[in-house]
Amino acid sequence: ANLKGANLNGASLRGIKLNNVNLDFANLSGAQLDFANLSGSDLDLADLSGINATNLRGCPLSLPKGWVCENNSLIQR
């Protein structure tokens, strides 16, 4: 799927399957992504400010600079 540039600000995406999705330039700020499957997704240019993303079922392929996926959680460093 291609959600490039999608506005998902504050969306409740708990447990959603977003594997292999292009989310470049997507606005995910404030989104709830706990338990989501992000395997293979491209989040390199997405806005992840204020997200909750713990207990993921899979880590994304790419993340914005300063973000990591550790222990199945997205963490800003």
Side-chain angles (χ1 to χ4, degrees):
N2 185 355
L3 293 175
K4 184 176 182 177
N7 184 5
L8 300 169
N9 175 280
S12 178
L13 303 171
R14 288 177 57 92
I16 195 166
K17 293 180 183 176
L18 289 172
N19 45 317
N20 300 314
V21 174
N22 179 357
L23 289 159
D24 274 346
F25 301 104
N27 180 359
L28 292 165
S29 60
Q32 302 292 321
L33 291 164
D34 300 323
F35 302 101
N37 183 348
L38 301 173
S39 299
S41 292
D42 184 357
L43 298 174
D44 186 41
L45 300 172
D47 180 354
L48 303 180
S49 58
I51 63 165
N52 287 322
T54 60
N55 299 306
L56 297 175
R57 301 196 191 281
C59 288
L61 180 64
S62 62
L63 287 163
K65 184 177 180 178
W67 285 84
V68 295
C69 186
E70 284 184 359
N71 299 319
N72 293 321
S73 296
L74 298 185
I75 302 165
Q76 187 174 22
R77 296 256 163 120

